[in-house]
Amino acid sequence: MPAGIAPIVVPLPEPVVIPRSIVAQINLSRQRMEVTVDGVPRYSWPISTARRGYRTPVGSYRPQRMYRRYFSRKYDNAPMPYSIFFNGGYAIHGTTDLKRLGRPASHGCVRLHPSNAATLFALVKEYGAGNTRIIVTR
């Protein structure tokens, strides 16, 4: 390069960082869960939420704790595989009561087919609780 001529410096563009996220949208009226991964709808599953006399809390939550194998201390040691607790004792979990999926049947938890619960559990483990949002609406 000839003396006195400065090199041309072209700044590189900043890398685009796409936040990784999972949103589990639970609709109590429709008894369905829609799961969005990185902004793209990926799953739509039937669920069972609170039956008459019980409630599933409405709101926006993050997972608080997770257990691949869990048994209810409150309800006769009932199995709750792939539990994702989101509000105190309320959790999303697998169920063996498959015939009641799609209508209210629980004491307040969100029940899923065990294979769907396993899929959601694996996604939340991979992406992290801080990148997961659980939204419950009427």
Side-chain angles (χ1 to χ4, degrees), residues 39-63:
V40 178
R42 288 269 300 272
Y43 303 102
S44 178
W45 298 317
I47 58 171
S48 289
T49 59
R51 67 181 185 244
R52 188 181 314 274
Y54 295 91
R55 72 179 193 90
T56 300
V58 173
S60 180
Y61 308 94
R62 294 220 186 266

Side-chain angles (χ1 to χ4, degrees), residues 66-86:
M66 297 174 53
Y67 304 96
R68 190 180 133 346
R69 288 183 42 143
Y70 191 85
F71 296 88
S72 173
R73 294 182 190 119
K74 190 172 182 179
Y75 297 107
D76 302 320
N77 221 25
M80 298 169 57
Y82 304 104
S83 290
I84 302 170
F85 285 86
F86 62 90

Side-chain angles (χ1 to χ4, degrees), residues 113-128:
H113 188 285
S115 64
N116 297 338
T119 298
L120 182 63
F121 189 90
L123 281 170
V124 175
K125 282 287 245 196
E126 178 186 346
Y127 280 61

Side-chain angles (χ1 to χ4, degrees), residues 10-18:
V10 179
L12 295 174
E14 290 291 319
V16 176
V17 177
I18 299 171

